[in-house]
Amino acid sequence: MSTQVSAAAVADRLLPSASPVRLLDDATPAGYARDYAMPSEQRLRSAYRAMVIGRRFDTQATALTKQGKLAVYPSSRGQEACQIAAAASLRDDDWLFPTYRDTMSLVSRGLDPIEVLTLLRGTWHCGYDSQATKTAPQCTPLATQSLHAVGLAHGQARKGRDSVALAMLGDGATSEGDFHEALNFAAVFRAPVVFLVQNNGWAISVPLAKQSAAPTLAHKGVGYGVPAEQVDGNDVAAMTSVLDTAVEHARSGGGPFLIEAHTYRLEAHTNADDATRYREDTEVEQWRGRDPLERAERYLRARGCLGDEDVRGFAEEAEEFAGSVRARMQQEPEVAPLEIFEHVFGELTPQLQEQRAQVVAEQAAEAMSEEDR
C-alpha cells in the first residue's frame, strides 16, 4: 500500500477552511474549503424564531435554579445558533447525542421541556424516551457520547439504514481519549456520524490555549482521515449550511465529518460557577457584539423578511412557552429513591448494593419517625 499522499489531496479532502465560514456578515464565501449556499430566507426566519424561544427558555431555566426547582443548569445563552441549527439539521429518524449544555437543542427538536429538565432537576437519569425521540440521554462525562454516537451510526449503516448520528461536544471534550477513539473508529468504518464541537473558549475555567496546541480543533480530524470545517458558531446561516453539508456527506456514505463552531457562552459554566474569577468583562462584551439573534434579525430585516410585528409575535410566543415551563415546574414530581439503582447494571455491584441498603434503612427510619408523630 502506498504511503505517499499529496498535500493537495489532503487539502482538498480533509482540511478545514483557513478562516471560519461566515455568511451573515460577509455574503462572499469565496476562499472556503467547500462551497456553502446561503439558506433560504424562510429557513432563516424559522431559525430566528427558534432562537428567540430558545433564549427565553434558557433564561427561564436559569431562573428555576434560583427558585430551587432545578439542581443545576448549564446555560447556552450566546450559543443559540449552534443549538438551533444542530436540531434543525436532522431528520426525525436521525439520532442526536447531546451534552448537559445542549438542553436548548433538545427543546428545539420538539422534546417536552419538562422531560428534558428531569436530569437537571435530579429526579431521574433521563426524563424522555430516547428510542421514541431518537435522542440519547444528555451526557455529563466529557466525550463518552461520541463513542455511543459512532457505535449507533455504525450499527444503523450495517442494517442498511441511511440515518445519521450527530454528536455534540464542547472544546474540553476534544482533549479526552474517547473523542479520539471515536474519530478513529468512525473514519476506519466510515460511520455516518457528525461531530459538532462548540468551542466556547473555556473548559469551565481552563482556556483553550491550555487545552490544545492544534492550529484549530477542526484540524484534529485530519490525522484520522476525517474531513473537517470550522465555522462562525454565532452565524446561524453559516451553521445551517455547514451542518447541511456535513450531514449530507455522512448520509451519502462519505463517512464522518468534524465541525468546530467558534462561539461563546455568555453566562458562567453553570449556576454554581463564578466566571468573573477567570475571564474579563471586556471579553464577554466583545462577544455580546456578535450576538447570534441580533445578527440574524439584522439580516432578515434588511431583506424585508422580518418586521416589528413579527419580532413582537415571536417574543410573545417565547414568553408563553416560558410561562408554561414555569407553571409545570411548580408541580412537585413523584420520586421513588430506589429507582436510581435500576436500569444501570443487570446486577448491582457490592458498592451499589451497600448504597441501596443505606437508602432502604433511611426510608424505614423516616417511616418510623412519621408513625411516632
Side-chain angles (χ1 to χ4, degrees):
M1 182 178 71
S2 173
T3 57
Q4 291 188 335
V5 180
S6 72
V10 172
D12 287 345
R13 194 169 72 84
L14 301 177
L15 282 177
S17 301
S19 59
V21 176
R22 184 171 297 140
L23 298 181
L24 284 183
D25 301 333
D26 182 356
T28 308
Y32 295 140
R34 301 165 187 82
D35 293 330
Y36 296 104
M38 175 65 80
S40 69
E41 291 172 346
Q42 185 57 44
R43 198 171 175 196
L44 291 179
R45 182 183 154 95
S46 297
Y48 171 77
R49 169 187 169 273
M51 289 196 295
V52 171
I53 295 173
R55 174 166 292 186
R56 183 63 188 89
F57 166 78
D58 191 82
T59 56
Q60 182 58 66
T62 300
L64 288 169
T65 64
K66 298 174 182 176
Q67 299 169 11
K69 297 299 180 183
L70 288 180
V72 66
Y73 183 73
S75 171
S76 54
R77 182 181 177 87
Q79 299 183 206
E80 289 87 353
C82 298
Q83 297 282 310
I84 300 307
S89 70
L90 300 177
R91 297 190 321 209
D92 289 345
D93 62 336
D94 291 332
W95 274 79
L96 181 65
F97 288 78
T99 74
Y100 50 83
R101 193 177 299 285
D102 301 318
T103 308
M104 191 189 301
S105 190
L106 272 58
V107 172
S108 180
R109 202 181 188 201
L111 275 64
D112 185 319
I114 306 304
E115 294 181 354
V116 171
L117 291 173
T118 298
L119 171 69
L120 302 172
R121 201 174 199 178
T123 52
W124 189 231
H125 304 296
C126 177
Y128 50 86
D129 186 332
S130 291
Q131 286 289 343
T133 60
K134 297 291 185 290
T135 304
Q138 286 178 275
C139 191
T140 303
L142 298 185
T144 53
Q145 80 278 17
S146 55
L147 287 169
H148 304 159
V150 170
L152 184 135
H154 181 54
Q156 295 284 304
R158 286 179 61 88
K159 291 178 180 177
R161 300 170 182 168
D162 70 345
S163 56
V164 170
L166 172 61
M168 301 178 76
L169 308 107
D171 44 283
T174 67
S175 302
E176 298 288 330
D178 285 358
F179 171 74
H180 297 275
E181 293 172 18
L183 281 181
N184 191 59
F185 187 100
V188 170
F189 292 97
R190 299 175 72 84
V193 57
V194 175
F195 301 91
L196 171 57
V197 177
Q198 295 173 79
N199 175 9
N200 62 30
W202 295 91
I204 307 183
S205 59
V206 180
L208 182 64
K210 292 187 177 180
Q211 298 177 55
S212 173
T216 71
L217 298 181
H219 280 83
K220 292 190 175 187
V222 178
Y224 297 101
V226 175
E229 186 58 280
Q230 55 173 338
V231 55
D232 183 338
N234 285 19
D235 180 334
V236 74
M239 283 299 305
T240 299
S241 190
V242 171
L243 276 161
D244 281 354
T245 298
V247 168
E248 176 55 29
H249 171 89
R251 196 184 308 285
S252 62
F257 198 102
L258 171 63
I259 299 173
E260 177 189 7
H262 297 269
T263 185
Y264 196 77
R265 58 171 166 82
L266 293 171
E267 304 297 336
H269 178 67
T270 70
N271 55 293
D273 173 43
D274 179 6
T276 62
R277 297 178 63 183
Y278 55 82
R279 68 184 190 187
E280 302 292 333
D281 290 344
T282 53
E283 178 181 302
V284 179
E285 289 307 310
Q286 183 180 6
W287 277 94
R288 286 190 196 281
R290 302 194 61 77
D291 187 294
L293 274 72
E294 293 178 4
R295 292 169 69 187
E297 183 177 336
R298 279 198 302 271
Y299 178 87
L300 290 168
R301 280 183 181 274
R303 282 152 185 80
C305 302
L306 193 72
D308 291 342
E309 187 174 343
D310 300 312
V311 172
R312 277 196 301 273
F314 293 154
E316 290 171 1
E317 186 179 356
E319 194 59 41
E320 185 177 345
F321 184 81
S324 172
V325 171
R326 187 168 58 245
R328 293 176 64 197
M329 286 295 289
Q330 299 307 315
Q331 301 170 10
E332 293 298 326
E334 294 185 9
V335 178
L338 291 179
E339 284 187 347
I340 201 75
F341 298 100
E342 298 177 2
H343 312 303
V344 178
F345 294 102
E347 183 176 344
L348 293 181
T349 64
Q351 292 84 358
L352 288 176
Q353 290 179 19
E354 183 179 346
Q355 292 174 19
R356 189 180 188 283
Q358 183 178 350
V359 174
V360 170
E362 290 174 355
Q363 287 183 306
E366 186 176 348
M368 290 181 63
S369 177
E370 290 290 333
E371 291 177 359
D372 292 340
R373 291 180 183 176

